[in-house]
Amino acid sequence: MQDVLLIANGWILWGFAICLISVVIVQAFLYLRLTLAFSDQFQILSAPERTKVYKTATINSVGPAVAIFFIAVSLITMVGGPVTLMRVGVIGSAVFEFVAADAGAKAAGAQLGTDSYTLQAFTTSVWVMTLGGMGWLLSAFFLTKNLDTAQHRLNAANPALIRAMATATPIAIFSTLIVNTVIDKHWLSDISVEVDDLAAIVAGGAAMALLTRLGRRWPWLREWSVGLSLVVGITVGYLTGQSLA
């Protein structure tokens, strides 16, 4: 395992990671510049509104960043810093990358974090992580324009339908994620509930509802609601897991 980490944290992979993340950073600044130019051209946001958007976006990014950080730290000990940076920095789903790395290791007859995790298993993990994440990139590249056209047509034909879809889609996605996180299934048998994950979800949801309600009186709480709710959920989930250990 130590030999694998020496290669996984080698300067060659760090070079690839720096190049890839540099492209992501440049793209982010280009998108920001285009957005600001579009806003100025059509006078969409005033200066105070733009400042509020910056502040809200920064605050709301804290919670997800904390959640990703904890998983990424664990992933670094398994596949090294460069691969973790390249995968999480581009796709942004640390949970998926962890599952993909584990699937690659098992496909090579090894287990993450053990002496059975050889260089061949590490290579398999990287391939699974890379190929598994290509779906997001390819769908964004090929389908974004078509989806935008379809949205305009649906909005023109039936505005109520597009609003219903916009409401139902995130509910369905987050409901599926919650069920998959809380319930541990083995071929639809031997179903068990992960109490710590359930506690984290309940606590995070309750914190979100409370902060939203309190935001009617103190508007600044709405800006912090997402980040604070995630921190509360993570804390409660961790404490619940420790108490049950």
Side-chain angles (χ1 to χ4, degrees), residues 64 67-73 75 84 87-89 91-101 129:
I68 293 175
F69 172 78
F70 285 118
I71 302 175
V73 168
L75 194 60
T84 301
R87 300 308 308 152
V88 176
I91 300 299
S93 176
V95 175
F96 169 80
E97 302 302 339
F98 196 94
V99 172
M129 296 163 74

Side-chain angles (χ1 to χ4, degrees), residues 22-243:
S22 298
V23 172
V24 175
I25 294 174
V26 171
Q27 285 180 327
F29 278 107
L30 289 176
Y31 281 126
L32 177 61
R33 188 177 68 176
L34 289 173
T35 302
L36 294 177
F38 184 83
S39 176
D40 292 337
Q41 181 180 357
F42 295 96
Q43 297 181 351
I44 297 176
L45 295 176
S46 62
E49 290 174 335
R50 187 178 297 178
T51 302
K52 185 176 181 179
V53 169
Y54 291 154
K55 184 172 64 174
T56 302
T58 302
I59 293 171
N60 286 341
S61 67
V62 173
V66 171
I68 293 175
F69 172 78
F70 285 118
I71 302 175
V73 168
S74 301
L75 194 60
I76 288 174
T77 62
M78 306 294 181
V79 298
V83 173
T84 301
L85 181 61
M86 284 189 285
R87 300 308 308 152
V88 176
V90 174
I91 300 299
S93 176
V95 175
F96 169 80
E97 302 302 339
F98 196 94
V99 172
D102 183 60
K106 291 180 179 177
Q111 185 176 357
L112 283 174
T114 65
D115 292 335
S116 63
Y117 194 66
T118 60
L119 185 59
Q120 289 76 17
F122 167 74
T123 304
T124 306
S125 293
V126 174
W127 272 108
V128 173
M129 296 163 74
T130 304
L131 294 176
M134 286 181 63
W136 281 295
L137 301 177
L138 292 176
S139 62
F141 184 79
F142 289 107
L143 300 178
T144 299
K145 185 177 180 180
N146 294 331
L147 289 174
D148 187 57
T149 303
Q151 179 181 349
H152 284 299
R153 289 180 179 178
L154 282 173
N155 194 33
N158 191 344
L161 178 60
I162 196 67
R163 287 195 297 268
M165 292 176 61
T167 303
T169 300
I171 293 176
I173 293 173
F174 284 107
S175 297
T176 302
L177 292 174
I178 289 173
V179 171
N180 289 335
T181 300
V182 174
I183 299 178
D184 186 16
K185 304 178 293 294
H186 299 283
W187 296 101
L188 299 180
S189 63
D190 191 21
I191 297 176
S192 60
V193 176
E194 301 293 336
V195 179
D196 53 345
D197 292 333
L198 178 60
I201 291 171
V202 172
M208 175 67 75
L210 177 61
L211 290 172
T212 301
R213 187 174 182 84
L214 293 176
R216 299 174 183 175
R217 183 172 181 180
W218 297 288
W220 65 271
L221 283 176
R222 293 182 180 180
E223 300 174 356
W224 289 84
S225 59
V226 175
L228 290 177
S229 298
L230 285 172
V231 172
V232 169
I234 293 171
T235 303
V236 172
Y238 172 78
L239 294 176
T240 302
Q242 292 296 312
S243 64

